[in-house]
Amino acid sequence: MDILSETNVASTDKTGLALDVNGGNLSSSMDVNLGNREREKQVRRMETKPAPSVINPPFREEHQLDDELDHILQCNVPQVFPSNPRLSLNSAALQDFLMEDVCPSKLNRLAPHLWMCSAPSHKNVPPLHNHAVHNRNIVLTEDPGLHLVWETGRIFIKPLPTYLLSHAFWVLYLLNGEMSSEQKLVKQAALGLLRSYHHCIRYESDLRIAQQAHLNLIPPGVTWKQWCDFSSSFDGILDSHVAPRYHYGKLQLSRLHWLVRIHLRELNYYYIDGGYGDSFARYYGPLLFVFDEHRGAPNATLILRTGQVSLSIFDDL
């Protein structure tokens, strides 16, 4: 009898699987190897899977703090946007308004370098009452690029737009099926702004400060319990859900000036000086130190003034 007829000879097909010449069945060892490979692929897919996106509004409908949009949608009235009556709810200009109102575009571009301006944590946002301890005045601003930007003596804070307090707005405009790239940017910025307020208002005293007439950061009728219910889930907003700027908390304005000069080739991040005197004041100390007329030896006053300029660089974050 031929030996080959008594022996199963293994061959390999084009896919590299071992086949039996007589029966053509896959070997059991190959089944095990295929199972191991499949499990490894699943593990790799799980490791590279992005963080889940926010698909629900960040607060419950019963916890919303503004229901004006609900009444507009339910009643037979002109459908104007509550925060800006010049705009219709179906207006093409509404998206441009939202981009301008909540998106800190320049800070998003600077995000890879913002570690030079702030501790790398979104929790680096002091409660509102803490600014008085550091002799900082709270200055209202509608520019999202100035929200939580500070300098000696003041910090800029943007009021929380009332449309972000509406459950219907989130459902209709920020979480409505397929979103454009602009809508995604608005959603990320809006989530970051909400999360920043979760840190700004940690105590009932912070809420009272936010509702002061000259600030009006939060609608005056909101109670402490209502705010706690509204913001109860904001801790679940992750860095992957928000705009890159909101991976950080408060930002020092003087350092932002240097960042835009280096990375964006601009003179200042935001010009807020009162005049030329303020601009020259920040440079005259070092210049006088270099061009001192007293035989090249700066006097004690100049040394102290230059020291003050140098120390200001290391001001606390």
Side-chain angles (χ1 to χ4, degrees), residues 1-258:
M1 184 180 293
D2 193 351
I3 297 177
L4 292 178
S5 64
E6 298 291 333
T7 306
N8 291 333
V9 180
S11 63
T12 304
D13 70 351
K14 293 182 181 180
T15 61
L17 300 177
L19 300 176
D20 191 290
V21 171
N22 295 326
N25 298 323
L26 290 175
S27 67
S28 59
S29 62
M30 289 296 100
D31 289 339
V32 173
N33 290 337
L34 283 174
N36 291 338
R37 291 195 193 102
E38 187 62 28
R39 282 192 293 271
E40 290 175 358
K41 291 179 181 178
Q42 291 177 355
V43 170
R44 285 196 294 269
R45 284 196 294 267
M46 291 176 63
E47 290 176 347
T48 58
K49 186 178 180 181
S53 60
V54 176
I55 59 175
N56 295 316
F59 51 90
R60 297 180 181 178
E61 184 174 3
E62 60 268 25
H63 294 158
Q64 69 177 349
L65 300 180
D66 185 84
D67 60 358
E68 185 177 358
L69 185 58
D70 295 342
H71 295 308
I72 291 177
L73 295 175
Q74 293 172 3
C75 301
N76 187 19
V77 296
Q79 295 191 344
V80 298
F81 188 57
S83 296
N84 190 341
R86 298 187 185 94
L87 296 175
S88 166
L89 290 177
N90 299 319
S91 171
L94 179 58
Q95 187 62 48
D96 295 334
F97 168 79
L98 295 176
M99 285 285 294
E100 183 179 351
D101 196 43
V102 299
C103 291
S105 303
K106 187 178 293 188
L107 288 180
N108 285 339
R109 293 163 59 193
L110 291 172
H113 316 288
L114 290 182
W115 59 270
M116 300 179 65
C117 304
S118 174
S121 172
H122 69 270
K123 296 182 179 180
N124 185 32
V125 179
L128 295 181
H129 75 270
N130 187 257
H131 297 300
V133 177
H134 294 281
N135 293 320
R136 282 196 293 260
N137 294 320
I138 299 174
V139 180
L140 182 147
T141 178
E142 291 291 354
D143 188 340
L146 280 179
H147 181 59
L148 295 179
V149 173
W150 70 278
E151 62 177 355
T152 303
R154 58 183 171 178
I155 184 168
F156 302 93
I157 297 183
K158 177 179 174 60
L160 199 54
T162 54
Y163 55 83
L164 295 184
L165 312 179
S166 167
H167 189 272
F169 175 81
W170 283 88
V171 172
L172 293 174
Y173 292 95
L174 297 184
L175 302 171
N176 185 15
E178 293 295 328
M179 295 188 297
S180 65
S181 58
E182 289 81 8
Q183 285 177 305
K184 291 179 181 178
L185 290 174
V186 171
K187 184 188 76 169
Q188 292 174 343
L191 287 170
L193 185 59
L194 285 182
R195 188 174 69 173
S196 72
Y197 264 87
H198 178 62
H199 299 301
C200 284
I201 304 179
R202 302 182 203 175
Y203 304 93
E204 189 171 0
S205 59
D206 297 323
L207 181 62
R208 290 197 297 269
I209 294 173
Q211 293 174 326
Q212 290 178 355
H214 70 286
L215 294 176
N216 201 24
L217 304 176
I218 299 291
V222 176
T223 66
W224 175 237
K225 184 182 184 306
Q226 287 176 324
W227 174 257
C228 291
D229 291 338
F230 172 76
S231 61
S232 59
S233 61
F234 291 176
D235 257 348
I237 301 175
L238 307 178
D239 280 351
S240 57
H241 300 151
V242 304
R245 178 266 175 268
Y246 288 107
H247 296 181
Y248 300 83
K250 60 188 177 73
L251 304 171
Q252 190 170 357
L253 181 60
S254 60
R255 300 187 185 186
L256 287 175
H257 288 325
W258 285 108

